Amino acid sequence: MLISLAWSSLCSRKKSVILTFLSLLISISVLLSVEHIRQQAKTSFNRTISGADLIVGAPSGQLNLLLYSVFRMGDPTSNIDYQSYEMLKNDQQVAWAIPISLGDSHRGFRVLGTNGDYFTHYQFGDKKSLGFTAGKPFAGMFDTVIGADVAKTLGYQVGDKIIVAHGIGHTSFSHHDHSPFVISGILKPTGTPVDKTVHVTLPAIEAIHLPPSQLAKILDGEEAQKIQPDSVTAVILGLKTKFGTFNLQRDLNNYQDDRLMAVLPGVALAELWQMMGTVENVLRVISVLVLLSSLFGLSTMLLASMNERKGEIAVLRTLGAGPSVIFGLVLLEALMLVVIAIASAVSLVSGSIALFSDKLAAHYGLFLSANLLSWETLQIAMIITLASIVTSAIPAFEAYKKALQSSLSG
């Protein structure tokens, strides 16, 4: 009875209620978006690589090295010698070493040069290994293994041929047309940048950048065995024992034959979160202020309608409704509006993320889930509901006083 009465009362003031609802919808959407993206970004980044003890590259800052070698974000400043990779691979403390070479792209997707160890040792999430939906790892120099999103977005199948472009931009005027790659495998979805990556062999990366005459000989098979990479962008290391991690890191940072920098992925991620912490707090404060502004707008709307509702209150009093019922009615109107706004905001944010998830992953390396139903979202919804009760208590108390005055004058 009271719910239908509150709903009818809201419907009788459509214009002001709709404007207030839109204000609440936008502010709650902003708050939910900030929190969801913050949590998902952390989860996405933390699950991208697992089991790696060190990442070795050219000195460029540990955060920069982590971003371009693991998350395909940013550009490497320089490479390290291929001999350094071989030195690392043969080190007694190293269990496995994955070389990575970056610099080319295919229709907006990063191309990564590596070898078979990538598919054997690279792990993500809770130490999950890469798996194949179709096909197999490289068998020939110009074989390529593509990520799940690459295959899905571009509609590729095993056996299709692709052309790699020079540079990492979405639009390139320099394509390696004379050396097409044949897709030998498609990886299972991982929810990491691996899904957006085109994997090729290290010798192929070296070959496609050779003069045409030399490339033709390689394609004919005459000099295919002579191809030896000169450099790699970075090397991901797994050690036999964790105890030697810091010693090996120190040794590599002081390595005399090449300019190397070794970083611990966990430490680099912690630096990233520390750097992002200030931005997160600023966004949170802005979101909360916008929400408070909307809640006070709701309170103002209800308060401004009190004079118009003198007659409604008087009728309700005549029908036997006490001042506490009038108080509850106004509070219920506010709660109904806020609950509908929360539900609409969850739907709006989920739909927006589902719509733009591919672009967010491609441009920013963010793999966001469109599912907002979590304990954190429930907590935010409860806080918003409690805040709306507090701010709506002012007009509700005003209605309570008018109900008392109505009974006294009656």
Side-chain angles (χ1 to χ4, degrees), residues 44-101:
S44 172
F45 275 49
N46 287 334
R47 72 188 304 274
T48 297
I49 189 166
S50 174
D53 297 303
L54 287 172
I55 299 174
V56 184
S60 59
Q62 63 174 358
L63 190 53
N64 190 42
L65 175 56
L66 177 77
L67 289 177
Y68 68 67
S69 62
V70 177
F71 302 107
R72 323 280 192 263
M73 297 171 69
D75 303 320
T77 53
S78 61
N79 287 351
I80 61 175
D81 292 339
Y82 188 77
Q83 284 74 21
S84 298
Y85 156 66
E86 291 191 322
M87 176 274 294
L88 291 167
K89 186 178 67 173
N90 296 323
D91 192 289
Q92 291 184 346
Q93 301 178 72
V94 174
W96 50 264
I98 301 173
I100 286 174
S101 184

Side-chain angles (χ1 to χ4, degrees), residues 15 17 26 36 45 80 103 139 160 169 177 222 260 268 284 325 340 349 353 380:
K15 290 180 181 176
V17 168
I26 293 170
H36 185 68
F45 275 49
I80 61 175
D160 289 349
D177 299 310
E222 295 177 18
L260 301 180
R284 275 177 171 172
V325 174
I340 294 172
V349 174
I353 291 175
I380 293 172

Side-chain angles (χ1 to χ4, degrees), residues 229-303:
D230 290 331
S231 63
V232 295
T233 304
V235 182
I236 301 174
L237 297 180
L239 304 185
K240 293 176 181 174
T241 170
K242 308 293 181 188
F243 297 110
T245 304
F246 293 105
N247 288 335
L248 183 59
Q249 183 188 24
R250 185 181 61 250
D251 293 342
L252 292 176
N253 288 338
N254 296 316
Y255 189 61
Q256 298 297 319
D257 295 337
D258 195 5
R259 295 180 69 245
L260 301 180
M261 182 177 70
V263 303
L264 283 79
V267 175
L269 271 175
E271 182 185 339
L272 175 64
W273 301 136
Q274 189 176 9
M275 190 178 71
M276 294 295 293
T278 306
V279 179
E280 287 178 12
N281 290 333
V282 170
L283 288 175
R284 275 177 171 172
V285 169
I286 292 173
S287 304
V288 170
L289 289 176
V290 171
L291 176 63
L292 283 176
S293 171
S294 297
L295 289 176
F296 281 117
L298 169 65
S299 177
T300 304
M301 185 271 290
L302 292 171
L303 204 57

Side-chain angles (χ1 to χ4, degrees), residues 373-385:
L373 300 179
S374 63
W375 171 242
E376 288 77 15
T377 303
L378 182 61
Q379 282 181 310
I380 293 172
M382 290 170 65
I383 291 171
I384 294 172
T385 305

Side-chain angles (χ1 to χ4, degrees), residues 319-387:
L319 293 174
S324 57
V325 174
I326 306 298
F327 181 91
L329 178 65
V330 175
L331 216 56
L332 186 59
E333 288 177 13
L335 279 176
M336 289 174 70
L337 204 55
V338 168
V339 169
I340 294 172
I342 291 172
S344 302
V346 170
S347 303
L348 179 65
V349 174
S350 293
S352 300
I353 291 175
L355 192 62
F356 297 107
S357 59
D358 288 343
K359 289 185 177 179
L360 288 170
H363 290 278
Y364 304 106
L366 293 174
F367 293 82
L368 304 179
S369 167
N371 182 11
L372 263 71
L373 300 179
S374 63
W375 171 242
E376 288 77 15
T377 303
L378 182 61
Q379 282 181 310
I380 293 172
M382 290 170 65
I383 291 171
I384 294 172
T385 305
L386 287 173

